[in-house]
Amino acid sequence: MEYINFREQFETIIQSGDKEKLCAFLDDQNISDVAELIYDYPDQEALIISSLSIHRAASVFKILELASQKRIIKKLTPQKTAALLNELPPDDRTDFLEELPSNAVREFIKLLNTEERKVALSLLGYPENSVGRLMTPDYVYVYENNTVAEVLETIRRKGKDSETIDVIYVINKNGELIDDIRIREFLLAPPDKKVSEIMDGRYIALNAYDDQEQASDVFKMNNRVALPVVSNSNKLLGIVTIDDMLWVASEEFSEDIQKIGGTSALEQPYLDTPFFKLIQKRVGWLIILFLSELLTATAMAYFNDEIAKATMLAMFIPLIMSSGGNSGSQASTLIIQAMAVGEVHITDWWRVMRREILSGLLLGSILGLIGFTRITVWHELMQHGFIRDLYGVHWLLVAFTVGVSLIGVVLWGTLSGSMLPIVLKKLGADPAVSSAPFVATLVDVTGIVIYFSVAFMFLKGILL
């Protein structure tokens, strides 16, 4: 209800054309509410950003989706664009610039003042998806020979321009990181106490060339709101904050979900991705999966004579294939997710295999029992004339064939689905590539082989 009134107020002010009233109204709202207004009124998005104070405009701009950011930048005047880019935190500005074409980046770099231009070029010089692209040079640092009083004075002078002051970084005269200390330690210490007396020498730092996904894992393991970023020679370059890591985690999650669905990851939101780019992202995997499924047709052709002799076996092929594919998809999804959050590592492969062997046997036995029961019940109905007799006098052997095949296929599916992500991780590939469709296709082919091998065992010399 409050948001409806909020929207009504905004519409009333827009219709009145009173720019001063609009500025006052927007500057009085929460940043997240202004962002929602931009999404709800895309025709007014540039006006909304232009009406905000530059500091609040930057705060809103950095939390918008990339598509909205691009549209707004195109509509702003060069003066407003320059002010906005100079006001954006360096890490958020880098996130935006790295998504633009190189010619656009060059033009925007020219709009930055000398100091911000140096920072932007420095951050853009790091590899894509590296920690260096995420870091900000806005932090508070002190020296080990400073007193607590001097540290607090430094915080007062420089803290306003810093990304966070929860942690203060200690460097030596060469600019090398030697410790990080929480601000509460300084607040509780006597003013004349030296920094060196508070230091414990225990700190965690990221390298500027580390992968962003690895940095996200470090944050999760150490419960930090910010971490220092150092060069290969341990020079303190900047810091990465938890809000950046949340964006990274969100992007990685979206990318993995798309890969699990059997498509390449999209660089833009779905609705903003060009149509033919979307086709390009999807067609590759579809072709691979289609060619893989041709192996299923090859496997069935190999057993064509057996199918001709016992046509009833063909009735259960979809059942066998889907059960194996479903069990494999379940296992791969569980393991990919567990690896993504750090619950499973490559060294845990034997523990995973052992659990999946037991799981596969139990799940296969449950499905096998259901399949056996289904054939038995149908046979009884056939015997009493309710439905046409399809299984004949050897119905019990058919029931055992289906039941045992289900155990084998489900066991193989769970093993394949659980081990493939681990093998890919060991080889340096993304485990998410072992997507559910890929595992299902793999198990489809082998499921046919298992099914007819079991059929030979039970029906050779009888039906086959």
Side-chain angles (χ1 to χ4, degrees):
M1 187 68 179
E2 289 182 3
Y3 185 65
I4 294 175
N5 293 333
F6 170 67
R7 288 170 55 117
E8 289 175 352
Q9 291 178 54
F10 174 74
E11 290 174 0
T12 301
I13 296 171
I14 287 292
Q15 290 170 5
S16 71
D18 190 333
K19 293 186 177 180
E20 289 187 9
K21 193 172 182 180
L22 177 62
C23 293
F25 171 76
L26 292 174
D27 278 334
D28 194 42
Q29 308 304 321
N30 292 327
I31 296 298
S32 57
D33 289 335
V34 178
E36 287 298 324
L37 273 181
I38 288 175
Y39 292 137
D40 290 341
Y41 299 91
D43 294 340
Q44 307 293 340
E45 55 191 5
L47 175 62
I48 294 172
I49 289 292
S50 299
S51 301
L52 292 165
S53 63
I54 193 61
H55 176 71
R56 285 175 58 79
S59 298
V60 172
F61 185 84
K62 72 179 186 179
I63 66 173
L64 295 175
E65 294 177 353
L66 178 63
S68 297
Q69 291 178 333
K70 287 181 176 179
R71 287 198 306 270
I72 289 170
I73 283 291
K74 287 180 181 178
K75 297 175 184 176
L76 294 179
T77 63
Q79 294 80 6
K80 190 69 177 182
T81 300
L84 181 62
L85 291 175
N86 278 294
E87 184 67 23
L88 278 172
D91 51 339
D92 295 303
R93 183 173 58 219
T94 304
D95 282 343
F96 172 63
L97 291 178
E98 69 180 354
E99 299 294 339
L100 304 178
S102 56
N103 59 330
V105 173
R106 282 195 297 272
E107 294 303 314
F108 286 136
I109 290 292
K110 293 176 184 177
L111 297 176
L112 301 176
N113 60 45
T114 304
E115 188 169 339
E116 293 297 335
R117 189 180 304 157
K118 288 180 181 177
V119 172
L121 290 172
S122 171
L123 296 182
L124 287 169
Y126 290 103
E128 190 175 353
N129 295 324
S130 68
V131 169
R133 290 284 187 102
L134 289 177
M135 70 180 180
T136 174
D138 298 330
Y139 58 92
V140 176
Y141 65 88
V142 297
Y143 297 93
E144 58 183 326
N145 60 349
N146 288 147
T147 64
V148 169
E150 291 172 333
V151 170
L152 295 176
E153 179 59 30
T154 301
I155 294 171
R156 292 188 191 97
R157 284 189 290 107
K158 299 184 177 180
K160 183 176 70 172
D161 298 323
S162 299
E163 186 89 1
T164 177
I165 57 171
D166 290 348
V167 179
I168 309 301
Y169 302 94
V170 186
I171 62 173
N172 60 23
K173 61 181 180 180
N174 296 321
E176 297 168 341
L177 179 66
I178 54 178
D179 207 352
D180 60 355
I181 303 174
R182 295 179 188 273
I183 193 172
R184 69 186 302 272
E185 300 294 333
F186 295 116
L187 295 175
L188 298 175
D192 58 346
K193 196 169 188 177
K194 294 274 191 180
V195 172
S196 57
E197 298 176 61
I198 302 175
M199 290 168 49
D200 58 12
R202 296 197 303 267
Y203 65 88
I204 299 165
L206 301 170
N207 187 284
Y209 292 93
D210 284 345
D211 185 82
Q212 292 177 3
E213 192 171 358
Q214 294 175 349
S216 179
D217 293 337
V218 175
F219 265 88
K220 284 186 289 188
M221 294 296 292
N222 294 280
N223 192 28
R224 295 297 187 97
V225 296
L227 282 175
V229 181
V230 298
S231 65
N232 292 331
S233 58
N234 201 42
K235 295 283 196 307
L236 181 59
L237 302 174
I239 63 172
V240 173
T241 53
I242 188 65
D243 60 320
D244 297 313
M245 285 298 104
L246 291 174
W247 281 107
V248 170
S250 175
E251 289 176 356
E252 293 293 339
F253 175 76
S254 297
E255 183 179 316
D256 286 348
I257 288 297
Q258 288 164 2
K259 287 181 179 178
I260 287 173
T263 181
S264 299
L266 302 178
E267 289 83 17
Q268 297 174 270
Y270 172 80
L271 292 176
D272 295 315
T273 302
F275 177 76
F276 286 105
K277 187 72 173 178
L278 192 63
I279 298 299
Q280 180 186 343
K281 290 289 184 180
R282 297 169 67 175
V283 70
W285 272 110
L286 280 177
I287 291 173
I288 292 172
L289 294 173
F290 177 77
L291 293 175
S292 300
E293 285 289 2
L294 289 178
L295 295 175
T296 305
T298 303
M300 290 185 67
Y302 182 80
F303 293 105
N304 196 47
D305 291 342
E306 286 71 25
I307 294 174
K309 293 176 184 176
T311 53
M312 72 186 71
L313 293 177
M315 292 188 295
F316 298 101
I317 290 177
L319 173 72
I320 300 295
M321 291 172 60
S322 63
S323 298
N326 291 340
S327 63
S329 300
Q330 277 188 342
S332 67
T333 302
L334 287 172
I335 299 303
I336 290 169
Q337 188 272 339
M339 294 180 76
V341 299
E343 296 174 353
V344 171
H345 304 279
I346 295 175
T347 53
D348 298 320
W349 70 271
W350 171 241
R351 293 177 61 194
V352 173
M353 178 179 280
R354 189 172 55 196
R355 289 172 66 92
E356 289 304 317
I357 288 174
L358 295 175
S359 298
L361 286 172
L362 183 56
L363 293 170
S365 297
I366 292 171
L367 295 185
L369 181 60
I370 294 173
F372 184 91
T373 303
R374 188 266 190 196
I375 292 175
T376 302
V377 170
W378 255 242
H379 172 71
E380 289 301 317
L381 293 174
M382 292 170 188
Q383 290 296 101
H384 290 82
F386 290 105
I387 54 178
R388 186 166 61 90
D389 189 354
L390 297 174
Y391 304 142
V393 295
H394 302 295
W395 65 271
L396 187 59
L397 292 177
V398 173
F400 274 114
T401 297
V402 171
V404 174
S405 296
L406 283 169
I407 296 174
V409 169
V410 171
L411 174 60
W412 172 245
T414 57
L415 277 175
S416 301
S418 61
M419 289 295 103
L420 192 56
I422 295 176
V423 170
L424 288 174
K425 183 74 171 178
K426 178 67 175 176
L427 296 174
D430 189 345
V433 173
S434 58
S435 59
F438 184 78
V439 172
T441 303
L442 173 66
V443 176
D444 282 351
V445 179
T446 51
I448 294 293
V449 177
I450 292 172
Y451 178 42
F452 281 100
S453 298
V454 173
F456 263 116
M457 184 174 65
F458 281 103
L459 302 172
K460 187 176 182 182
I462 301 174
L463 292 177
L464 300 178

